[in-house]
């Protein structure tokens, strides 16, 4: 009976893992990259160098908005922080009754400012933010569909983790077991070791990932208690209330003292964002929100002030238990609170998860190859999995490298430049898929891995040729972001190059026993 | 800094736990351990990991420290595994060289299958 249960769990693990494996791989890759989304964005906008104290920068940003957008419905300002030296502003233009809601371009309602309120002209890019959004919104499809798809994948991931724990009967006995060059056994070792070493991370990240979109996946609790979901959200996330403009103009108090009050109230935590509704009106409100990097909970406390008088309207009311729990879970998932050390641990755990999913996908083929009726002519399903594995494991990283390259190579004045950066990612990914289909299986692995290695290796070179900030100048001027980014690119290049070489050296020798080139690729 | 310290403590802990396991003793230490010493190592390993948790929670705060501890455990276990495999690979190469010296005067081929050598 016990054996039967374990076997059925193993089957569940195999098939849930395979069905969403490729999507999960992509989610792991982009999610892991998203832990450094601010840094990637900074690298992708090398023009931004300004650093400034938050309060004067915010005041300067307000002055700029005052000059350019005095009639907007609201202003939203992100003061400079340790991870983003620029001041980001966006605004909601006044909605006029009866006017067609025109589709606006991102740049029409947002700007990047330096510390003294001058616009920093940067190349048009979505930066690391795109990788973050792809993690749960995917691309080229309606966001809602994507989120359902991603939610299903996360649910399958949870099933695969739990059934995997049951299937893996020797978690402690095989804890340090990693044997190379033994075919299927080696792949299983890699899968087990990467799975067990960061198991708390995977359980946390999968469960909290589902929690981030819980109201989308489980809307019935809200439906049973509220006439419309909007009522629920308005109640849960009060944004100071949508007050009507009175039409009576009023000058606003300086922002600096308000930020100081908030910081004192939050025991020294910085202000993460400033939202000003109905600017320059007697009804103006200023909402300050605590920076995300000061506590695990993702939703910082907020304080609302009257814009004209500076009187506090609403302090940081403590959240209820359920809301605080949700906030901490989302915080744990997104890791915005994490300092450098913990951020790198998050990143390494993410890479572990990527290897876990990738090795699991390859294991599916390694395990079945030996049992094929005719190994030279595998059936369609087997070939499909083989080729999709290549496209996912080598193709997406190659695509991300191409995304970085496109950022440096596309002309800065080009129309729809940010979109074309993203197209470059998917074009490269699609090219690897076609290559994987067209080429003999082993050559396809070697060539795709080598392509990924080559693309990553060319990122520091192209960067040095196109912009003035690179590893060498970074070392001399203390611009560590550019040093770290180049080193990271070279490490990824080495990793993929090593995998390609492993694949090719085994390929050169006749396969012996269970050994295939595959098992060496991950070894 | 605290991260480096906690990871070192975790490495010590996992190294003790690994050395306490019969299947790894010969690879890691070169000889088998008495049952009692193995048990002492196991206790020492577990205590080290708990010590790392205590350090993390005291220095980083209970919530942040507990999260960081999970990361430190992952990093520590990974480092011990890498160390173990490097040691096995090095020992295999040494055995291989010794075998080659006895059996054949010419240099071994550059890429030699390590696990075949150990079986022979």
């Amino acid at each position: 009976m016990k054996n039967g249960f374990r076997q059925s769990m193993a089957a569940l693990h195999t098939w849930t893992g395979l069905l969403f494996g490729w999507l999960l791989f992509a989610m792991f890759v982009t999610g892991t990259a998203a832990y450094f989304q601010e840094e990637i964005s900074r690298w992708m906008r090398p023009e931004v160098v300004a650093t400034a104290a938050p309060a004067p920068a915010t005041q300067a940003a307000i002055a700029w908005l005052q000059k350019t957008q005095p009639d907007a419905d609201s202003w939203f300002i992100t003061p400079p922080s340790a991870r983003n030296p620029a001041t980001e502003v966006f605004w909601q233009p006044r909605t006029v009754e009866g006017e067609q809601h025109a589709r606006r371009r991102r740049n029409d309602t947002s700007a990047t400012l330096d510390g003294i309120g001058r616009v920093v002209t940067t190349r048009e890019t979505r930066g690391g933010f795109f990788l973050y959004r792809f993690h749960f919104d995917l691309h080229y499809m309606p966001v809602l569909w994507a989120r359902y798809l991603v939610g299903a994948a996360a649910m399958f991931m949870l099933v695969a983790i739990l059934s995997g724990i049951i299937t893996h009967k020797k978690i402690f006995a095989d804890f340090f077991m990693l044997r190379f060059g033994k075919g299927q056994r080696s792949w299983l070792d890699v899968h087990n070791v990467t799975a067990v070493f960061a198991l708390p991370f995977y359980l946390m990240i999968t469960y909290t990932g589902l929690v981030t979109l819980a109201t989308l996946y489980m809307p019935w609790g809200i439906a049973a208690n509220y006439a419309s979901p909007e009522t629920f959200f308005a109640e849960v996330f009060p944004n100071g209330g949508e007050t009507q403009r009175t039409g009576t103009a009023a000058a606003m108090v300086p922002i600096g003292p308000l930020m100081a009050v908030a910081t004192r109230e939050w025991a020294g935590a910085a202000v993460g964002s400033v939202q000003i509704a109905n600017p320059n009106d007697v009804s103006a409100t200023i909402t300050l929100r605590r920076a995300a990097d000061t506590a695990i909970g993702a939703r910082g406390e907020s304080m609302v002030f009257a814009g004209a008088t500076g009187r506090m309207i609403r302090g940081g009311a403590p959240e209820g238990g359920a809301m605080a729990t949700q906030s901490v879970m989302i915080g744990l998932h997104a890791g915005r609170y994490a300092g450098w050390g913990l951020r790198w641990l998050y990143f390494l755990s993410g890479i572990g998860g990527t290897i876990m999913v990738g090795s699991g996908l390859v294991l599916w083929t390694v395990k079945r190859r030996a049992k094929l009726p005719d190994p030279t002519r595998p059936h369609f399903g087997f070939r499909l999995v083989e080729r999709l594995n290549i496209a996912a494991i080598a193709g997406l990283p190659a695509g991300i490298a191409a995304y970085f390259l496109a950022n440096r190579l596309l002309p800065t004045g080009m129309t729809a430049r940010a979109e074309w950066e993203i197209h470059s990612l998917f074009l490269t990914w699609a090219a690897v898929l076609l290559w994987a289909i067209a080429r003999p299986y082993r050559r396809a692995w070697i060539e795709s891995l080598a392509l990924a290695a080559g693309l990553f290796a060319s990122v520091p070179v192209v960067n040095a040729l196109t912009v003035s900030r690179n590893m060498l100048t970074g070392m001399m001027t203390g611009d560590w972001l550019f040093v770290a980014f180049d080193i990271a690119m070279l490490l990824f290049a080495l990793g993929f190059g090593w995998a390609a070489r492993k694949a090719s050296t085994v390929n050169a020798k006749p396969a012996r026993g269970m050994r295939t080139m595959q098992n060496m690729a991950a070894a | 800094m605290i991260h480096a310290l906690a990871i070192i403590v975790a490495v010590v802990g996992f190294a003790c736990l690994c050395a306490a396991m019969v299947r790894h003793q010969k690879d890691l230490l070169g000889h088998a351990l008495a049952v009692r010493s193995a048990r002492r190592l196991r206790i020492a390993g577990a205590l080290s990991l708990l010590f790392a948790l205590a350090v993390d929670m005291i220095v980083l705060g209970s919530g942040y420290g507990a999260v960081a501890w999970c990361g430190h455990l992952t990093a520590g276990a990974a480092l011990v595994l890498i160390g173990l495999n490097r040691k096995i690979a090095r020992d295999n190469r040494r055995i291989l060289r010794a075998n080659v010296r006895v059996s054949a005067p010419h240099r071994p081929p550059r890429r030699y299958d390590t696990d075949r050598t150990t079986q022979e």
Side-chain angles (χ1 to χ4, degrees):
Chain A
M1 184 61 214
K2 193 157 183 251
N3 205 19
F5 176 62
R6 188 159 267 159
Q7 267 162 12
S8 60
M9 281 295 131
L12 183 66
H13 181 79
T14 302
W15 294 102
T16 50
L18 182 74
L19 187 60
F20 277 98
W22 302 290
L23 178 57
L24 285 169
F25 186 87
M27 286 165 69
F28 258 110
V29 169
T30 50
T32 302
Y35 284 125
F36 286 114
Q37 58 161 315
E38 301 275 1
E39 287 69 30
I40 293 173
S41 292
R42 269 167 68 192
W43 186 87
M44 292 178 84
R45 297 192 310 174
E47 298 86 358
V48 180
V49 283
T51 48
T58 309
Q59 190 63 61
I62 290 174
W64 183 84
L65 286 162
Q66 199 72 264
K67 208 161 57 209
T68 56
Q69 303 295 333
D71 301 324
D73 268 352
S74 63
W75 299 337
F76 197 91
I77 304 159
T78 310
S81 65
R83 291 183 67 202
N84 183 355
T87 314
E88 310 286 349
V89 295
F90 74 85
W91 57 91
Q92 226 167 14
R94 178 84 68 86
T95 40
V96 183
E97 288 295 322
E99 191 185 76
Q100 276 290 331
H101 200 74
R103 216 182 129 76
R104 294 190 207 92
R105 285 182 50 211
R106 218 181 318 280
N107 278 2
D108 297 341
T109 57
S110 69
T112 301
L113 306 177
D114 66 5
I116 51 171
R118 286 177 312 192
V119 174
V120 186
T121 26
T122 65
R123 56 195 68 209
E124 203 194 314
T125 179
R126 292 194 66 201
F129 188 69
F130 167 73
L131 297 173
Y132 162 72
R133 290 305 285 251
F134 179 83
H135 174 65
F136 56 95
D137 280 352
L138 307 180
H139 200 63
Y140 299 128
M141 69 161 83
V143 165
L144 201 63
W145 292 13
R147 291 190 178 179
Y148 279 122
L149 203 56
V150 161
M155 202 64 229
F156 272 68
M157 175 83 190
L158 201 55
V159 170
I161 292 177
L162 296 179
S163 59
I165 293 172
I166 296 166
T167 310
H168 185 17
K169 42 191 172 211
K170 292 188 281 186
I171 289 186
F172 292 106
D174 277 356
F175 196 85
F176 293 108
M177 258 311 174
L178 183 59
R179 291 151 295 189
F180 290 130
K182 289 188 192 264
Q184 185 184 333
R185 183 67 235 185
S186 297
W187 280 102
L188 187 59
D189 282 348
V190 169
H191 190 58
N192 285 345
V193 158
T194 48
V196 172
F197 277 12
L199 187 57
F201 174 79
Y202 306 139
L203 281 168
M204 177 277 284
I205 212 73
T206 313
Y207 188 78
T208 55
L210 284 164
V211 169
T212 57
L213 295 172
T215 49
L216 175 68
Y217 302 139
M218 302 285 278
W220 304 287
I222 298 171
N225 292 296
Y226 292 86
S228 90
E230 282 76 39
T231 334
F232 165 78
F233 288 114
E235 193 173 304
V236 174
F237 309 112
N239 50 4
E242 296 265 307
T243 41
Q244 281 293 315
R245 256 176 198 276
T246 58
T248 317
M252 288 189 293
V253 295
I255 194 78
L258 302 187
M259 289 170 80
V261 167
T263 296
R264 203 159 49 239
E265 181 78 8
W266 298 328
V271 174
S273 71
V274 178
Q275 189 183 1
I276 302 177
N278 300 345
N280 300 318
D281 193 84
V282 248
S283 65
T285 56
I286 302 177
T287 307
L288 306 182
R289 195 166 279 282
R290 177 176 62 67
D293 63 352
T294 47
I296 296 180
R299 212 173 22 255
E301 300 92 336
S302 63
M303 289 174 89
V304 185
F305 298 90
T309 59
R311 185 176 52 85
M312 193 202 294
I313 299 173
R314 193 162 49 78
E319 293 176 307
M323 289 302 288
T325 307
Q326 191 229 21
S327 171
V328 165
M329 281 189 171
I330 295 175
L332 277 175
H333 188 90
R336 293 202 181 86
Y337 68 96
W340 283 115
L342 188 54
R343 186 164 299 280
W344 276 103
L345 291 172
Y346 261 105
F347 184 75
L348 291 178
S349 301
I351 294 213
T354 311
I355 299 176
M356 171 181 73
V357 176
S359 61
L361 283 169
V362 173
L363 187 57
W364 190 93
T365 60
V366 174
K367 215 165 163 179
R368 275 156 193 79
R369 186 185 305 284
K371 294 181 199 142
L372 285 173
D374 177 6
T376 53
R377 292 189 58 79
H379 54 85
F380 173 76
F382 187 87
R383 289 208 309 271
L384 179 76
V385 173
E386 274 185 339
R387 306 298 158 139
L388 285 177
N389 283 353
I390 302 174
I393 294 170
L396 175 58
I400 290 177
Y403 179 59
F404 295 152
L405 288 173
N407 176 266
R408 290 296 191 257
L409 294 173
L410 294 180
T412 43
M414 169 179 183
T415 46
R417 185 180 192 280
E419 282 71 29
W420 275 102
E421 283 182 10
I422 294 167
H423 296 328
S424 311
L425 191 163
F426 291 102
L427 285 172
T428 310
W429 197 356
V432 173
L433 174 66
L434 290 179
W435 195 259
I437 293 168
R439 297 285 290 161
Y441 175 66
R442 291 174 183 208
R443 295 302 310 166
W445 260 121
I446 299 166
E447 288 155 4
S448 307
L449 291 168
L451 172 76
L455 288 175
F456 275 116
S458 57
V459 171
V461 180
V462 169
N463 173 62
L465 293 175
T466 49
V467 301
S468 57
R469 297 166 77 186
N470 57 48
M471 182 151 59
L472 294 177
T473 59
M475 278 185 204
M476 284 184 284
T477 58
D479 190 3
W480 298 114
L481 170 74
F482 274 69
V483 178
F485 201 96
D486 276 6
I487 291 175
M489 290 302 108
L490 292 176
L491 285 177
F492 281 118
L494 277 178
F496 282 102
W498 179 76
R501 204 182 69 112
K502 276 283 185 197
S504 69
T505 48
V506 179
N507 199 23
K509 289 193 286 185
R512 201 153 34 76
M514 292 284 284
R515 177 170 305 167
T516 62
M517 62 75 34
Q518 278 188 323
N519 58 52
M520 298 302 279
Chain B
M1 214 48 231
I2 172 68
H3 294 288
L5 175 70
I7 289 172
I8 290 171
V9 175
V11 165
V12 171
F14 277 115
C16 289
L17 290 176
C18 185
M21 294 168 79
V22 175
R23 72 193 327 174
H24 297 304
Q25 279 165 3
K26 211 150 181 286
D27 289 334
L28 198 62
L29 308 169
H31 57 88
L33 282 180
V35 177
R36 273 184 53 182
S37 342
R39 199 167 67 213
R40 272 194 217 116
L41 271 178
R42 190 166 300 127
I43 293 169
L47 286 178
S48 304
L49 299 186
L50 285 176
F51 177 65
L53 175 64
V55 171
D56 275 337
M57 286 177 74
I58 289 167
V59 178
L60 298 169
S62 53
Y64 197 105
V67 179
W69 182 63
C70 290
H72 296 146
L73 288 191
T74 303
L79 287 172
V80 168
L81 182 73
I82 290 168
L84 176 67
N85 272 292
R86 286 187 69 105
K87 187 169 185 324
I88 292 172
R90 212 173 43 234
D91 291 349
N92 277 346
R93 272 201 299 278
R94 197 172 301 140
I95 295 166
L96 173 70
R97 269 200 298 277
N99 284 352
V100 167
R101 226 173 287 137
V102 176
S103 59
H106 60 79
R107 272 169 57 82
R110 223 161 65 77
R111 220 180 302 283
Y112 207 86
D113 194 332
T114 43
D115 60 69
R116 193 177 60 187
T117 331
T118 47
Q119 277 159 19
E120 275 167 10

